[in-house]
């Protein structure tokens, strides 16, 4: 089995913010989860460097555009390890491998009679890099405004068009058969009703500026930035060589995108691909948007969340955990200091961290730093172990369905059960009355803690590596395939250090 996951490639007109960090961490979680299941995974991210928006940003800083995008792209690349993410490739649309792949895709569409030359006249938003129908816009004092709030301008120029209208029926059919190709369900419905509303041919080249990939055999046209950008997902797999190993192994892939760019991914992209005789993506998941303490995040409000700052303030895994436990993946979420403190303190510090700390320290002090597999289990032990098996099954289902919040909720509910077991069994009392039973209880607790930690690894990998260290284990010893049969004779422990300090506001 193989698994290919992508982030959108990020515009380099500005610095990375929490929205970028959110999508990248989501992909990292899924990539790690599938790797932990034993699959071969490929995690791609990168930067979207062409188009008017980026060119304008470089001009505003009086910089050569290539030098500007080189600098800006580096900010996105440098952020990845800071987010605790492990990627397999980073693609830039100004790289030759991408430019030539995009031109090959163009040629293929042309050979397949999918492109024609005409004139575009209509509304365009540079901020969204999108064409709009007048019916989609709101008239304000400052002109026509896009649904995103972005200003638009009237453009009139010669343009190549992609015959999108010819793909209406085929897209509808594709989505009828592949009912989970777009998730969540509400987004799927949105996409299908947009297509059913009728598709117009799409302008795919521009003549009024030069910062883009040249249209093959055309001096005056550069490609529309979205056809250029979407192609990144296959240029990283060495398109047009569709017979090479990575293309064969990894295409079609899973795209994680924000809800604002769903239409490009779920309508234009599959149409381009089918028109070029390539399979459409396996899945497109649209996530929601973050607000800051209840307010829309925007530069003009000065409330943009810098990922470096929040990670330095609260801790990397604390932020990763908060972002994906707090808000159902797919919904909008609100970033608030109180919510982070409450979530981290309740789940990571109290429920999970204290359990590890308490039991491991107790074992070191009272059981010679080790636990041994019991000869016989009691009903309460069996119940707890069986309940883990159910938790594990639910976890797999949720994670396979991109429901990270539910997968996590399910683990923390189970951890509450484990804490209740500790209170009921009271190993500190058993120490005085029944040493053998105390040792058995400690073994069950250690085993369960290790298993839960493996499930949490995709979301909080650095902390889990430290926790596994307490038990002299690493991911080499254990993964999601081995977890059911994990039952070692002896587990030796090292002194634990506090992993999740409480956040005091
Ligand atoms: N370059 C295009 C994508 C091309 S993919 C072939 C683009 N780039 S972007 O940098 O503007 O946005 C990247 C992602 O950040 C989008 O998925 C967008 O939804 C996400 N976010 C931007 N602001 C966000 C929040 N406030 N919250 C969550 N995600 C947000 O679009």
């Amino acid at each position: 089995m193989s698994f290919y996951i992508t982030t959108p490639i990020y515009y380099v007109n500005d610095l990375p913010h929490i929205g970028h960090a959110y999508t990248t961490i989501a992909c990292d979680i899924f990539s790690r989860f599938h790797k932990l299941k034993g699959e071969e995974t490929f995690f791609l991210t990168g930067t979207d460097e062409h188009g008017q928006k980026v060119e304008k940003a470089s001009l505003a800083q009086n910089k050569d555009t290539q030098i500007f995008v080189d600098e800006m792209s580096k900010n996105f690349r440098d952020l990845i390890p800071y987010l605790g993410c492990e990627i397999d490739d980073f693609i830039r649309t100004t790289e030759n491998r991408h430019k030539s792949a995009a031109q090959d895709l163009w040629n293929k569409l042309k050979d397949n009679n999918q492109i024609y030359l005409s004139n575009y006249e209509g509304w365009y938003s540079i901020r969204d890099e999108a064409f709009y129908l007048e019916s989609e816009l709101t008239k304000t004092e400052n002109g026509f405004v896009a649904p995103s709030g972005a200003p638009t301008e009237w453009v009139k120029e010669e343009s190549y068009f992609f015959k999108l209208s010819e793909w209406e029926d085929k897209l509808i059919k594709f989505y009828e058969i592949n009912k989970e190709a777009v998730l969540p369900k509400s987004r799927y419905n949105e996409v299908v009703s947009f297509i059913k509303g009728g598709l117009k041919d799409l302008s795919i080249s521009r003549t009024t500026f030069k910062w883009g990939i040249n249209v093959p055999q055309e001096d005056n046209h550069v490609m529309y930035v979205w056809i250029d950008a979407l192609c990144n997902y296959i240029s990283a797999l060495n398109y047009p060589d569709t017979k090479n190993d990575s293309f064969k192994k990894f295409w079609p892939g899973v795209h994680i995108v924000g809800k604002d760019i769903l239409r490009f991914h779920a309508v234009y992209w599959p149409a381009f691909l089918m028109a070029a005789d390539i399979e459409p993506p396996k899945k497109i998941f649209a996530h929601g948007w973050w607000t800051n303490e209840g307010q829309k995040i925007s530069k003009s409000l000065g409330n943009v969340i810098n990922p470096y700052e929040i990670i330095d303030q609260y801790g990397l895994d604390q932020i990763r955990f908060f972002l994906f436990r707090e808000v159902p993946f797919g919904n909008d979420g609100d970033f608030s200091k109180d919510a982070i403190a409450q979530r981290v303190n309740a789940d990571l510090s109290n429920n999970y961290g204290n359990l590890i700390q308490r039991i491991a320290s107790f074992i070191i002090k009272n059981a010679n730093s080790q636990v041994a597999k019991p000869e016989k289990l009691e009903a309460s032990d069996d119940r707890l172990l069986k309940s883990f098996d159910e938790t594990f099954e639910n976890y797999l289902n949720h994670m396979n369905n991109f429901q990270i919040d539910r997968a996590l909720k399910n683990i923390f509910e189970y951890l509450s059960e484990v804490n209740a077991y500790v209170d009921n069994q009271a190993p500190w009392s058993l120490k005085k009355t029944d040493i053998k039973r105390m040792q058995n209880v400690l073994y069950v607790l250690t085993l369960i803690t290790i298993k839960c930690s493996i499930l949490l690894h995709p979301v909080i990998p650095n902390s889990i590596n430290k926790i596994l260290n307490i038990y002299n284990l690493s991911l080499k010893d254990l993964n999601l395939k081995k977890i059911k049969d994990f039952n070692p004779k002896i587990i030796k422990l090292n002194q634990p250090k506090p992993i999740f300090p409480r956040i005091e506001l």
Side-chain angles (χ1 to χ4, degrees), residues 254-266:
V254 174
H255 303 312
I256 307 284
V257 302
K259 60 182 182 180
D260 54 317
I261 54 173
L262 179 60
R263 190 185 294 183
F264 300 96
H265 284 84

Side-chain angles (χ1 to χ4, degrees), residues 222-355:
V222 293
M223 289 184 200
Y224 170 41
V225 67
W226 269 100
I227 188 168
D228 160 351
L230 287 161
C231 185
N232 91 85
Y233 301 130
I234 55 173
S235 29
L237 301 179
N238 305 323
Y239 181 81
D241 175 10
T242 52
K243 300 273 183 291
N244 80 83
D245 272 359
S246 63
F247 196 95
K248 279 199 310 210
K249 206 181 284 166
F250 293 116
W251 191 256
V254 174
H255 303 312
I256 307 284
V257 302
K259 60 182 182 180
D260 54 317
I261 54 173
L262 179 60
R263 190 185 294 183
F264 300 96
H265 284 84
V267 182
Y268 304 162
W269 180 226
F272 293 153
L273 288 166
M274 291 197 267
D277 308 317
I278 306 170
E279 235 185 294
K282 192 188 290 168
K283 201 170 293 286
I284 300 158
F285 189 99
H287 66 68
W289 270 46
W290 284 88
T291 48
N292 187 358
E293 308 280 352
Q295 272 192 319
K296 187 177 165 37
I297 296 176
S298 85
K299 244 182 151 176
S300 51
L301 288 173
N303 65 350
V304 176
I305 300 172
N306 174 336
Y308 287 97
E309 276 171 20
I310 53 171
I311 288 172
D312 290 346
Q313 191 170 355
Y314 299 103
L316 169 59
D317 282 345
Q318 283 79 351
I319 290 293
R320 287 176 63 117
F321 182 76
F322 170 76
L323 291 176
F324 291 94
R325 170 63 189 92
E326 189 69 11
V327 175
F329 194 49
N331 292 13
D332 291 338
D334 185 42
F335 191 88
S336 96
K337 288 185 177 144
D338 285 341
I340 297 181
Q342 270 181 31
R343 182 54 77 189
V344 168
N345 291 347
D347 287 358
L348 293 182
S349 307
N350 294 351
N351 204 351
Y352 180 51
N354 272 354
L355 175 73

Side-chain angles (χ1 to χ4, degrees), residues 60-108:
Q61 291 196 16
N62 255 324
K63 282 199 173 146
D64 171 79
T65 308
Q66 186 61 53
I67 293 174
F68 174 77
V69 299
D70 288 346
E71 286 170 7
M72 295 301 281
S73 174
K74 192 166 176 300
N75 294 325
F76 285 87
R77 188 191 275 264
D78 290 348
L79 179 63
I80 295 163
Y82 213 78
L83 301 175
C85 296
E86 282 177 3
I87 59 167
D88 296 294
D89 197 358
F90 186 96
I91 190 153
R92 301 183 51 191
T93 54
T94 51
E95 284 175 276
N96 284 336
R97 63 168 171 160
H98 172 74
K99 288 189 205 165
S100 69
Q103 287 175 328
D104 283 316
L105 179 68
W106 183 286
N107 284 334
K108 180 76 185 174

Side-chain angles (χ1 to χ4, degrees), residues 6 13 23-24 28 38 105 119 139 152 163 169 172 202 219 222 261 271 278 343 351 368 422 446 449 467 473 483:
T6 69
N13 61 306
T23 325
T24 307
D28 186 63
L105 179 68
N119 288 292
K139 196 170 179 199
T152 62
K163 295 181 181 170
D169 292 343
I172 291 172
L202 181 72
D219 293 336
V222 293
I261 54 173
I278 306 170
R343 182 54 77 189
N351 204 351
N368 201 19
V422 177
T446 303
T449 312
I467 288 167
L473 290 168
I483 210 163

